Amino acid sequence: MLVLLALFGIAALLLAPLTRALTNRVFLVAALVPLGAFGHALVVGPGILSGGPLVERAAWVPQLQLTLDLVMDPLSWVMTLVVTGVGALVLLYCAAYFRSDSEGIGRFAATLTAFAGAMYGLVLSEDVFLLFVFWELTSVLSYLLIGHYQGRRASRGAALQALITTTLGGLVMLVGLVLLAQQAGSASIPVIIATAPEGALTTTAIILVLVGALSKSAILPFHFWLPGAMAAPTPVSAYLHAAAMVKAGVYLIARFAPAFAETPSWREILVVLGLATMILGGWVALRQTDLKLLLAYGTVSQLGLLVVITGWGTRDAALAALALLVAHALFKSTLFLVVGIIDHGAGTRDLRALSGLGRRAPVLAAIAALALASMAGLPPLFGFVAKEAVLHALLVDALGGADLAAIAVAGVVAGSALTAAYSIRFFWGAFATKGGVDDVEDLDHVGPGFLLAPAVLAVAGLALGPLAALADAGVAPSADGLPAGVAPSAPSGSGEVYHLALWHGPTLELGLSLLAILAGVAIFLAREPIARLHARVHSPVSASELYWDVVGGVDRLAVRVTSLTQRGSLPFYLGVILVVFVAGTGATLLIGSSGPGEVRLWDTPAQVAIAVIMVASAVAATRAQKRFTAVLVVGVTGFGMSALFSIMGAPDLAITQILVELVTLIAFVLVLRRLPAQLGDRHGSTRKGLRALIAVAVGATMGVIALVAAGARTEAPISLAWPELAYEIGHGRNTVNVALVDLRAWDTLGELAVVIAAATGVASLLFIRGRDDALPRPARGLVRRRVEQRLDRVREQGRPGELRNAWILAGPSLDPRNRSILLEVVVRLTFHATVVVSIYLLFAGHNLPGGGFAGGLVAGLALVGRYLAGGRYELGAAAPVGAGAVLGTGMLLAASTAAMPLMLGADALTSAFVETELPVLGHVEFVTSTIFDVGVYLVVVGLVLDVLRSLGAEVDRQADPVERAIAAAGSAPAAVSPPAAAGPQSEGRA
């Protein structure tokens, strides 16, 4: 099972690339995986049905005791057959449904296969949290499938509606699952069912779980998302909305019913909501003119019936529920596939525009007739067997005095009458000859391959009726463990166990079935008066409209709140954040703090002197009138911090702090070029007293936090053991660097991801025409051409003196007013030496001060020098590769270092140590964590390069008059035609 689950994922990854060669035949390849899973289930079926479930386990996150536990018992075996069997046939159908040139078929095939895999994992999950993972995965994948037609607004809206509804229900369900796992002391579903905890907390948990199940299965009040999802391609409806996704909620109810059917409000919730859904769905289906929407509301109705009987919680009810689940998957998938064929061939799904199709396509009409007869509950179809079993299970308890069962029987009969009525309406609307309507010509593109899948499903529904005993052998084992009910289980009361059969004799349930069918025929014959009744009692607001009203209200509220809180004032935002910090932290300190312990103000007089300088700089920053002055004096506080690090014996921190301050100062300078030099030129500072009060409060709070934190420790810190751990585990004497690349490398890996995200975010704010690296580089000839153009202008203007002293490549290309010969000389003489120093710091950092972070900052400063001396053309010459490539390579190296030990059977990030003698270098020691440090080095260099190319080169390019002229010439508006509106009915001939 684990192998098959992995195959679903691998196939989903490979199908999109294969589409280029196979086109629509890729669906034939995709069908092989669910077909293999179906065959595997058939092979292991006899052993499972005889009482030996198939169990497979694999470690997932051992530290959290999370494992991949898959169990195939009789219930999940039946669900597996439905999910994989129907899934394989739908994928085969897709090969005929989609043309070879259809857009996005590779994406669709991959997503549909992944969805089938997610459903396969869902029904086999033994752990509630693994089940939840697959549960939400089906919601995400269904979003992609429903929204397959990305250019249609209706598809995008329906996909979002389904995603929000089912995902929110799933999150509510997760809370219930957590409570159940806590009450049972285990996340294992069999353990939870065997334990069957009781109490108010368990009742609450069960109700929360039911919210998730009902939202997934489109039960009132969550029913509205399913009809909206008909905007999806027809194969999606045939699989997700007939045999797979909507059955997930029913499966969950069936899984927990043996343990919690007697929980207070379980039956009441499921019976009331199920019956309401069944009757509402059937009633609304009667007024639909779109065949697909008629089936959608019919599906809602049938799901209501499934929820009623599945949640009843007796042995006969469970037997009937599984039989009905299988029957519904067969006939409803068939009918959706038939609608797809009609839509493709006739170009419409509107039953008012269809006529004479039964004569033109008799085979298709026969297939539809078999499925509709099963849905209406006519013998000898399997739907009749399942409907008889449903009525029997409810009648047993109704005759035994259960009032709720009697209500359920009445509701099921009424709903079944509506089912028979809209079944007849479907066949009449799709295949009958109607007066005043032109007959449909021969269906286009309908061959044997198109008819294969619906024919197989329809014939299966026909065959299982006479073979009901075979079906009983497959579904009865999952029901045998439930209680018989409040009355003898046999209709005659003889105590015999009820089994599925095509004929039980003249029973009460047979009479009720006949009554429902006759009532359905009468409702269809009275369709004209009923249509007028529909018009009179039609609700002015539908559930879907109410959903969109709620969504629109949330959007408007969000806009209102945003307009009040997001005022475009950075001081306001910072002030709110800081006030909340002071209030929250201060309250915590006052309530739970025992106060600081021993307070030592300083260790050496040098600390006092440095602190005075830092305080003075901070005060000076608040009084500065120019931005550049403020940045400089703020930087003094950072350099003061590095001096404190040095005094405390932390050279690594001191070096890193100095380098960070330098890079930060340069970044500030690059930004300040586009801002007024004087502070308050446009917007003067207001409420200075309030600002000062907040600042003092924040400073005091941070000071108290430092004192309390220092005095709160009761045990020796773990850092005392780090020097020894760094040497024994990381084979290095620089504790700080070894901690970053070995002992706590997971933290560093996460920080690298944050750095890359920050670099990408900064660049995205600056780049207008895309994020591609647009630095001019010598290989493209841009730098040399620009230099030559500049030299030609200088010669023409008679200023040959400017051609001398060209110390860097792009120097002569600069305007003389922005050129510094001294800076060019310094950069020319120090660039390569600085890069060498950065590499030394990288490799020496394992045992000496330095490391990848410090080395990367030094290399970044070398690039900064090239940019400051020669501008963006010089930066292009100094950086032979793009910032994205450097960042990506660094992250890849770091992640590979983390993952490689796993392939060798060790834990992630395990370091290896090599010690040898080399002819020239002598004694050499190498630790594999150095490769991780190289990744850190590259990420830091890439970050600096990205900042330079965005805040520096890109800003220069946007300010260049020549570039602005080119941009203006290339941005002339082009005529764009509005998107064509998709037809309201047809998707087949698009």
Side-chain angles (χ1 to χ4, degrees):
M1 295 184 292
L2 287 169
V3 173
L4 286 169
L5 189 61
L7 286 177
F8 276 105
I10 295 171
L13 294 175
L14 296 179
L15 286 174
L18 287 175
T19 307
R20 297 178 182 177
L22 299 177
T23 62
N24 58 340
R25 295 189 301 276
V26 74
F27 291 104
L28 303 179
V29 177
L32 294 176
V33 182
L35 190 61
F38 182 81
H40 171 263
L42 288 179
V43 170
V44 301
I48 292 172
L49 297 178
S50 62
L54 183 62
V55 180
E56 292 185 9
R57 304 183 189 277
W60 183 14
V61 186
Q63 293 81 357
L64 299 178
Q65 298 179 345
L66 293 179
T67 56
L68 291 174
D69 297 339
L70 302 183
V71 176
M72 186 179 289
D73 59 9
L75 175 59
S76 57
W77 180 77
V78 174
M79 290 297 301
T80 299
L81 291 178
V82 171
V83 168
T84 58
V86 177
L89 289 172
V90 169
L91 284 167
L92 290 174
Y93 174 88
C94 288
Y97 181 84
F98 289 100
R99 298 192 303 265
S100 59
D101 59 347
S102 298
E103 183 180 357
I105 58 175
R107 181 183 72 248
F108 183 86
T111 309
L112 190 58
T113 304
F115 180 88
M119 280 299 304
Y120 182 74
L122 189 153
V123 300
L124 295 176
S125 297
E126 186 197 40
D127 185 277
V128 292
F129 300 120
L130 182 61
L131 181 144
F132 173 76
V133 170
F134 286 118
W135 185 280
E136 292 298 271
L137 185 58
T138 59
S139 294
V140 174
L141 293 172
S142 70
Y143 166 78
L144 299 176
L145 290 169
I146 296 170
H148 173 70
Y149 296 121
Q150 299 174 355
R152 302 181 184 179
R153 182 179 180 183
S155 296
R156 299 194 303 270
L160 184 62
Q161 184 183 67
L163 178 68
I164 291 176
T165 305
T166 58
T167 301
L168 288 179
L171 293 175
V172 173
M173 181 189 76
L174 176 61
V175 178
L177 293 177
V178 171
L179 292 175
L180 278 181
Q182 188 272 335
Q183 289 289 97
S186 173
S188 171
I189 295 176
V191 173
I192 293 175
I193 294 174
T195 306
E198 299 177 350
L201 190 59
T202 299
T203 301
T204 302
I206 287 299
I207 293 175
L208 295 177
V209 170
L210 289 181
V211 170
L214 297 178
S215 65
K216 199 77 161 183
S217 291
I219 301 301
L220 196 76
F222 309 107
H223 64 288
F224 55 86
W225 72 263
L226 182 55
M230 294 302 106
T234 297
V236 174
S237 303
Y239 187 43
L240 274 67
H241 307 139
M245 180 175 170
V246 294
K247 296 297 197 310
V250 177
Y251 165 75
L252 191 66
I253 295 171
R255 180 60 75 185
F256 285 112
F260 301 106
E262 301 299 330
T263 301
S265 72
W266 168 283
R267 283 199 181 97
E268 290 77 6
I269 290 174
L270 295 180
V271 169
V272 171
L273 294 181
L275 290 178
T277 304
M278 184 182 187
I279 294 173
L280 176 65
W283 176 254
V284 177
L286 289 176
R287 62 181 171 87
Q288 300 304 316
T289 57
D290 184 333
L291 291 175
K292 199 172 180 183
L293 280 178
L294 188 156
L295 289 180
Y297 282 101
T299 301
V300 170
S301 177
Q302 292 289 306
L303 288 171
L305 174 59
L306 272 168
V307 165
V308 170
I309 192 62
T310 306
W312 191 251
T314 63
R315 186 263 174 195
D316 292 349
L319 180 72
L322 274 183
L324 183 62
L325 185 147
V326 174
H328 180 263
L330 294 175
F331 64 67
K332 195 55 65 72
S333 296
T334 301
L335 291 172
F336 273 118
L337 297 180
V338 167
V339 169
I341 294 174
I342 295 173
D343 193 12
H344 256 247
T348 183
R349 302 192 303 259
D350 192 341
L351 57 82
R352 296 167 298 184
L354 293 170
S355 178
L357 193 57
R359 295 197 310 269
R360 300 291 185 182
V363 176
L364 184 64
I367 292 171
L370 288 175
L372 290 167
S374 184
M375 182 165 67
L378 295 178
L381 280 302
F382 191 55
F384 167 78
V385 176
K387 189 70 66 66
E388 290 282 286
V390 169
L391 289 171
H392 165 79
L394 295 175
L395 281 170
V396 166
D397 284 346
L399 296 175
D403 294 337
L404 188 61
I407 296 172
V409 170
V412 168
V413 172
S416 299
L418 294 172
T419 301
Y422 64 70
S423 298
I424 301 172
R425 177 179 171 81
F426 181 96
F427 191 84
W428 169 79
F431 298 102
T433 300
K434 308 181 187 70
V437 181
D438 294 335
D439 285 359
V440 176
E441 300 296 331
D442 291 338
L443 294 184
D444 299 330
H445 313 297
V446 179
F450 221 167
L451 295 171
L452 175 63
V456 170
L457 292 168
V459 171
L462 173 62
L464 284 177
L467 298 176
L470 179 62
D472 183 84
V475 299
S478 64
D480 287 341
L482 278 77
V486 297
S489 56
S492 62
S494 62
E496 296 177 1
V497 176
Y498 183 84
H499 292 286
L500 299 178
L502 184 59
W503 177 251
H504 286 283
T507 59
L508 180 56
E509 50 264 31
L510 179 63
L512 292 176
S513 294
L514 180 60
L515 174 63
I517 293 170
L518 293 176
V521 173
I523 292 172
F524 172 74
L525 294 176
R527 58 186 178 276
E528 296 298 335
I530 289 178
R532 292 192 293 271
L533 179 62
H534 265 298
R536 288 197 298 270
V537 302
H538 177 53
S539 173
V541 179
S542 68
S544 182
E545 292 172 346
L546 182 61
Y547 164 84
W548 288 115
D549 289 342
V550 171
V551 171
V554 172
D555 289 341
R556 289 189 293 273
L557 178 62
V559 170
R560 180 60 179 166
V561 172
T562 301
S563 65
L564 293 175
T565 58
Q566 303 293 312
R567 298 163 46 186
S569 170
L570 183 59
F572 175 78
Y573 301 154
L574 292 175
V576 171
I577 293 171
L578 294 175
V579 168
V580 172
F581 164 74
V582 171
T585 308
T588 303
L589 291 173
L590 291 175
I591 295 172
S593 173
S594 58
E598 178 186 358
V599 177
R600 188 169 67 252
L601 296 179
W602 61 79
D603 291 321
T604 65
Q607 292 175 327
V608 179
I610 295 171
V612 170
I613 295 173
M614 293 173 66
V615 171
S617 300
V619 174
T622 65
R623 308 296 299 169
Q625 299 299 313
K626 293 186 176 181
R627 286 184 168 84
F628 186 70
T629 305
V631 170
L632 287 178
V633 294
V634 167
V636 172
T637 61
F639 289 116
M641 183 63 68
S642 41
L644 291 177
F645 287 149
S646 299
I647 292 174
M648 299 300 293
D652 271 285
L653 297 180
I655 293 172
T656 303
Q657 181 69 31
I658 291 172
L659 295 173
V660 168
E661 286 296 331
L662 290 173
V663 173
T664 304
L665 176 62
I666 293 166
F668 269 119
V669 171
L670 294 177
V671 174
L672 293 180
R673 295 181 303 164
R674 301 296 296 269
L675 296 175
Q678 200 76 14
L679 283 168
D681 277 355
R682 298 179 182 175
H683 305 286
S685 298
T686 59
R687 299 183 177 88
K688 295 183 179 180
L690 179 61
R691 297 183 181 207
L693 179 62
I694 294 174
V696 172
V698 171
T701 302
M702 287 302 303
V704 173
I705 289 174
L707 292 174
V708 171
R713 185 180 297 278
T714 58
E715 301 293 336
I718 192 176
S719 58
L720 296 177
W722 277 23
E724 182 179 356
L725 293 174
Y727 186 75
E728 293 181 356
I729 298 177
H731 306 285
R733 296 180 177 84
N734 184 349
T735 305
V736 174
N737 182 258
V738 173
L740 290 175
V741 301
D742 195 314
L743 301 180
R744 300 193 63 179
W746 278 121
D747 294 345
T748 306
L749 192 63
E751 289 160 5
L752 293 181
V754 172
V755 166
I756 293 175
T760 303
V762 170
S764 298
L765 294 174
L766 272 295
F767 284 90
I768 298 175
R769 295 183 299 181
R771 287 278 286 108
D772 293 337
D773 193 338
L775 284 179
R777 294 197 169 88
R780 304 173 188 172
L782 295 177
V783 175
R784 296 189 183 279
R785 286 200 298 271
R786 185 59 181 260
V787 172
E788 291 171 359
Q789 293 170 2
R790 175 65 182 164
L791 296 180
D792 291 340
R793 288 198 300 271
V794 171
R795 292 190 185 97
E796 292 172 359
Q797 295 172 4
R799 295 182 283 112
E802 294 183 14
L803 302 180
R804 298 189 298 271
N805 303 325
W807 285 84
I808 58 177
L809 178 64
S813 67
L814 296 176
D815 192 302
R817 293 171 296 179
N818 299 329
R819 186 181 178 191
S820 170
I821 297 298
L822 177 61
L823 183 58
E824 292 180 16
V825 172
V826 172
V827 169
R828 176 66 179 270
L829 295 177
T830 61
F831 175 76
H832 298 90
T834 305
V835 172
V836 171
V837 170
S838 74
I839 296 175
Y840 168 78
L841 289 174
L842 166 63
F843 288 102
H846 211 65
N847 293 290
L848 300 172
F853 194 81
L857 287 172
V858 171
L861 287 174
L863 293 175
V864 169
R866 291 287 292 269
Y867 168 73
L868 293 178
R872 63 193 179 103
Y873 293 96
E874 187 66 22
L875 180 62
V881 295
V886 179
L887 287 167
T889 303
M891 191 65 188
L892 180 62
L893 277 177
S896 300
T897 307
M900 188 60 68
L902 294 174
M903 301 180 184
L904 301 176
D907 293 334
L909 288 168
T910 300
S911 297
F913 177 68
V914 178
E915 187 175 7
T916 186
E917 295 286 339
L918 295 180
V920 178
L921 300 177
H923 184 74
V924 175
E925 298 179 358
F926 181 78
V927 187
T928 54
S929 59
T930 304
I931 302 175
F932 187 95
D933 216 7
V934 173
V936 175
Y937 176 92
L938 292 176
V939 169
V940 175
V941 173
L943 171 64
V944 176
L945 181 58
D946 214 13
V947 170
L948 289 175
R949 79 186 188 98
S950 55
L951 298 179
E954 178 64 12
V955 171
D956 293 344
R957 189 194 64 77
Q958 294 177 16
D960 191 335
V962 177
E963 291 286 349
R964 287 204 301 268
I966 294 175
S971 60
V976 179
S977 301
Q985 298 293 334
S986 176
E987 68 191 40
R989 290 184 172 175

